[in-house]
Amino acid sequence: MLGAMHSHGGPLSRLRRGHEERVLGLLRRHGPQSRAELGRRAGLSRTTLYDIVGTLVASGAVVVAAADPGPRRRGRPVEHLTLNPAAGQAVGIDFARRAVHVAAANVAHEVIGSASRPHPPGLSWERRVELAEQLVASLGGGTRRLSSLGATGAVGVGVVGPVRTAGDAHEEPLAALAALLSKRFGAPVLLDNNTRLAALAESTWGAAAASQDVLYLRLSHGVGGGLVVNGSLHRGAGGLAGELGHITADPGGGPCECGGKGCLETIASIGPVLASFRALGGRADDVPALLRAVGDGDRAALEVLRTAGIRTGTVLAGVVNAVGPGVIVVGGELARAGEALFAAVHEALDAHVMPLARRRVTLLPAGLGEAGGALGGVALALHESPLLARYPDPGGDDLPEDAL
């Protein structure tokens, strides 16, 4: 257990939790630091910082690194603090539509490994969980718990579709999945939308690792997104944030499965893009065939990707003007088209983002590929679980000790 339980979730408890998150985040991003360096970066008083650091060291989450080898005139060598790789591990699982992806890392954010396995559509949850167990065991030398996972680690899990707040009737299947996974792995389980988790992963290990404010968009069989604000996921009211695919991109467009009309998903997801290509005389049953046509300079393929890129960039521009991210990351199978897609997205951003913000946002391709959702599950567990184990949910009651 990381430290003692706090019995009341008042403002001071939440403030202390925020201070700990800030210190842990600085150690993740900048590596070993002295207390003085941490104090300057965290903006905390010396007394508060020493109190927070003392708690983190006592819990085992932070350790004292080797002393500064540089010359000193007098006094003790400067101690440097770092995250403790031995404090525990976390597993991430992404239950995608047609595959299971897993990843693992230690508390110091050193990735242990990742693995994937495809499966046929409609596979039962029981079988998908079995696949996840097998893949995690392949990372852990034959044990699904890796080393010390059950003691201080957690499992972050991504699923397709909205992940609503507790109490919604639609949460019952997800609650059952979380209970099953917790039993199988012997650790706390945190659930979220897998595209949102990919956003968190890109801001932790991927293309946007240097940025704290990231807008992520995935162009795949569906279109989804995620927003990372100050290093943390933004979930929105009821946990429904990130549905970028259901922003209207063409008011005169066709119907969407969400009940809307002309949503970005009806234009820039795999099915509609391939259908548009075939309508122009192209031949492609899947994305690799479309990409081969792009590589051959096929005008129809370039045209449909340009249209998808312009619509995508226009939607992203509206989000940029509203929330002001520093980096936009675009991933998914269609992002593999490269410049054929990204040039049009850039063009639309330049046309619609406010001039003052235009130079403050960078567009990048995703860097983590299929492992993104699973790595996001790892990041979710590492960023939230150690603190949630000691602090009550700001909106709920204290966690019982048997939930740890």
Side-chain angles (χ1 to χ4, degrees):
M1 183 188 305
L2 293 178
M5 288 288 293
H6 286 234
S7 59
H8 298 287
L12 290 179
S13 180
R14 292 194 293 273
L15 179 62
R16 184 180 182 87
R17 170 179 170 163
H19 291 337
E20 291 192 7
E21 288 176 334
R22 190 181 310 171
V23 169
L24 291 171
L26 288 170
L27 290 173
R28 282 194 295 267
R29 292 192 297 275
H30 301 290
Q33 295 163 76
S34 68
R35 286 174 173 82
E37 290 169 331
L38 274 174
R40 286 194 296 272
R41 285 178 166 143
L44 300 175
S45 70
R46 186 176 184 274
T47 301
T48 299
L49 177 72
Y50 274 58
D51 181 35
I52 295 298
V53 166
T55 299
L56 293 174
V57 170
S59 75
V62 171
V63 293
V64 177
D68 185 349
R72 293 183 57 81
R73 294 181 180 178
R74 65 183 67 180
R76 297 179 179 177
V78 175
E79 290 183 338
H80 281 70
L81 302 165
T82 185
L83 294 174
N84 181 10
Q89 295 168 333
V91 165
I93 302 172
D94 178 7
F95 290 111
R97 294 179 189 273
R98 301 177 185 178
V100 176
H101 311 285
V102 305
N106 61 30
V107 169
H109 281 55
E110 296 167 342
V111 176
I112 296 166
S114 62
S116 300
R117 187 174 300 172
H119 62 70
L123 192 68
S124 69
W125 277 115
E126 289 274 352
R127 286 288 298 122
R128 294 166 81 182
V129 170
E130 289 177 9
L131 282 178
E133 285 187 278
Q134 293 167 11
L135 290 170
V136 172
S138 73
L139 302 180
T143 170
R144 65 176 179 265
R145 292 173 184 258
L146 296 175
S147 62
S148 76
L149 174 62
T152 58
V155 181
V157 179
V159 296
V160 176
V163 177
R164 300 175 177 88
T165 54
D168 192 303
H170 295 287
E171 280 292 285
E172 291 180 5
L174 294 183
L177 173 62
L180 175 61
L181 288 165
S182 182
K183 181 178 179 180
R184 296 286 182 90
F185 287 94
V189 171
L190 300 174
L191 278 169
D192 213 312
N193 171 267
N194 61 351
T195 306
R196 274 205 299 252
L197 292 183
L200 185 60
E202 291 290 346
S203 72
T204 304
W205 288 288
S211 178
Q212 288 287 284
D213 298 290
V214 180
L215 175 61
Y216 175 83
L217 182 73
R218 175 185 282 167
L219 303 176
S220 183
H221 293 284
V223 174
L227 183 63
V228 176
V229 179
N230 196 27
S232 299
L233 280 180
H234 174 70
R235 296 181 174 90
L240 298 177
E243 294 295 334
L244 303 185
H246 298 293
I247 296 176
T248 301
D250 179 9
C256 180
E257 64 178 14
C258 74
K261 187 177 181 181
C263 295
L264 182 61
E265 188 166 295
T266 68
I267 299 168
S269 61
I270 289 174
V273 167
L274 291 176
S276 295
F277 180 49
R278 290 191 291 266
L280 293 176
R283 295 183 180 181
D285 293 326
D286 54 24
V287 174
L290 176 67
L291 298 184
R292 286 194 294 271
V294 170
D296 293 338
D298 185 289
R299 290 187 179 183
L302 294 171
E303 182 178 337
V304 296
L305 285 170
R306 173 174 168 75
T307 298
I310 290 293
R311 296 292 192 182
T312 297
T314 302
V315 166
L316 288 173
V319 181
V320 169
N321 287 336
V323 302
V327 177
I328 301 171
V329 177
V330 178
E333 293 92 326
L334 290 177
R336 297 172 189 165
E339 194 63 14
L341 177 77
F342 279 80
V345 176
H346 265 296
E347 181 181 333
L349 288 170
D350 286 342
H352 298 289
V353 171
M354 294 185 302
L356 283 175
R358 205 170 290 155
R359 296 180 180 273
R360 298 177 183 270
V361 62
T362 302
L363 175 66
L364 297 171
L368 298 176
E370 291 184 342
L375 285 168
V378 172
L380 181 71
L382 291 177
H383 291 195
E384 298 190 9
S385 182
L387 295 173
L388 290 176
R390 294 193 294 109
Y391 292 100
D393 186 326
D397 297 326
D398 291 355
L399 292 172
E401 290 196 29
D402 60 5
L404 299 178

